[in-house]
Amino acid sequence: MASGNDNASARAPQSGIELTDRSPIVVFVRVVYAIIMREVRTRFGSGNLGYLRALVEPVIFIAGFVLIWLALGRASPVAVPVELFFLCSISPYVAFLRTWEYTSSAIKTNAGLLMFPVVRPLDFFIARTVLEGASQLLVLFLLAIAIHGIFCEPRHLPDNLLGVLGAVTAAIVLGSSMGLITGCVVMEFPSIEVFMQLLRRGLFFSSGVFFMADGLPTILQDYLYWNPVLHVTEWFRSAYFSESDSRFLDMNYLWTCIVGMLLVGLVLERRLYRKGY
């Protein structure tokens, strides 16, 4: 016949498992995963058309630029097919822009979930950054396979795959940092969104989507140097094909901007949290 002490000992492992399951890291992972699943259903819907749209949009974007470029009778700025040039120019910019736009509304559209004690505002930003980052990497992978299979030769394969992934990661983190700052500021000053739209348009023309920084006059390089997105684009192209070894790229400045903007966003989020959403 088992004693009371034996019964207590038998129950001890189960209690330990429960405590482990409730650790902050496990709770954080489960919350972020739940938010990601909710975002997937909200953003893409129950069918496959939402996923198809995520792929078709950049295809139309690249095809439009290629057709305009060819209609003007212009050749690729480097010794690669023009389709590959625009893939390497548009992909980092789109990764930055889509992450910025998607994360900037994270708090506003999910404020109702803050009623749950385990949910924190930063969970929304992290979940949306992970989801958008995974989407952009998948789209880039599929487009690269298609463009290489149709237009390119084996010599046009990525020269530095780790550098390509690093540039895309930098674009996503930079966009998420901008989204964190924008999301916090818009919660207090909604009218600032108009300025953000103008800023996005300005970045489109100054982020190297259709030009290479080394080919610009020095005076323009001096002004555009302060745009970190242009450094991301130059990094991506330099890593993808060795024919584009950018002298303009400054990695120290790029990562200083990323870390600085992320810290500013975290400070603004804490301030907004103390004031109440």
Side-chain angles (χ1 to χ4, degrees):
M1 182 175 182
S3 64
N5 290 336
D6 293 337
N7 292 334
S9 299
R11 289 193 299 267
Q14 183 178 359
S15 176
I17 292 174
E18 291 179 357
L19 289 175
T20 302
D21 287 344
R22 296 175 182 174
S23 66
I25 296 178
V26 173
V27 171
F28 166 76
V29 172
R30 288 181 176 177
V31 169
V32 171
Y33 176 77
I35 295 174
I36 291 176
M37 292 296 100
R38 181 177 182 271
E39 291 288 339
V40 168
R41 289 192 295 270
T42 302
R43 183 178 181 185
F44 298 111
S46 57
N48 296 322
L49 292 180
Y51 297 96
L52 182 62
R53 184 181 64 180
L55 178 62
V56 170
E57 286 180 348
V59 170
I60 295 176
F61 205 13
I62 293 175
F65 270 99
V66 170
L67 291 176
I68 293 173
W69 202 261
L70 295 178
L72 294 175
R74 304 186 63 178
S76 175
V78 290
V80 297
V82 65
E83 295 83 5
L84 180 59
F85 171 77
F86 278 113
L87 171 70
C88 296
S89 300
I90 291 174
S91 294
Y93 172 76
V94 170
F96 161 78
L97 181 65
R98 293 290 179 259
T99 307
W100 178 10
E101 292 177 338
Y102 190 42
T103 56
S104 61
S105 60
I107 296 178
K108 188 175 181 180
T109 57
N110 293 286
L113 296 178
L114 293 175
M115 62 180 292
F116 298 102
V118 295
V119 179
R120 297 291 184 267
L122 279 178
D123 296 337
F124 305 139
F125 287 99
I126 295 173
R128 288 197 169 193
T129 300
V130 171
L131 178 58
E132 186 61 35
S135 300
Q136 291 299 326
L137 287 173
L138 177 60
V139 168
L140 173 61
F141 177 73
L142 294 177
L143 287 179
I145 290 179
I147 289 178
H148 276 279
I150 299 174
F151 302 104
C152 300
E153 302 175 5
R155 64 186 179 89
H156 294 137
L157 291 174
D159 185 64
N160 181 0
L161 184 57
L162 290 179
V164 170
L165 295 177
V168 175
T169 301
I172 293 170
V173 176
L174 183 62
S176 180
S177 302
M178 281 294 295
L180 183 58
I181 294 174
T182 303
C184 294
V185 173
V186 168
M187 289 294 291
E188 295 192 82
F189 309 100
S191 59
I192 201 70
E193 180 60 29
V194 177
F195 171 77
M196 293 300 173
Q197 293 177 0
L198 295 176
L199 180 59
R200 293 186 186 106
R201 293 180 182 179
L203 288 175
F204 172 78
F205 293 103
S206 62
S207 298
V209 173
F210 46 84
F211 65 85
M212 300 185 67
D214 288 339
L216 296 175
T218 303
I219 187 171
L220 286 179
Q221 291 187 20
D222 293 340
Y223 284 108
L224 295 179
Y225 175 86
W226 303 105
N227 178 7
V229 186
L230 179 55
H231 291 270
V232 173
T233 306
E234 292 291 309
W235 181 11
F236 190 100
R237 285 192 295 236
S238 297
Y240 207 101
F241 36 82
S242 57
E243 293 87 347
S244 175
D245 188 11
S246 176
R247 298 185 302 273
F248 178 87
L249 174 61
D250 188 342
M251 298 288 287
N252 292 329
Y253 172 73
L254 172 60
W255 286 110
T256 299
C257 288
I258 292 175
V259 174
M261 292 170 61
L262 183 59
L263 292 176
V264 171
L266 292 173
V267 170
L268 291 176
E269 190 277 333
R270 286 295 89 190
R271 177 179 176 274
L272 190 62
Y273 180 74
R274 288 194 297 269
K275 291 182 62 177
Y277 291 91

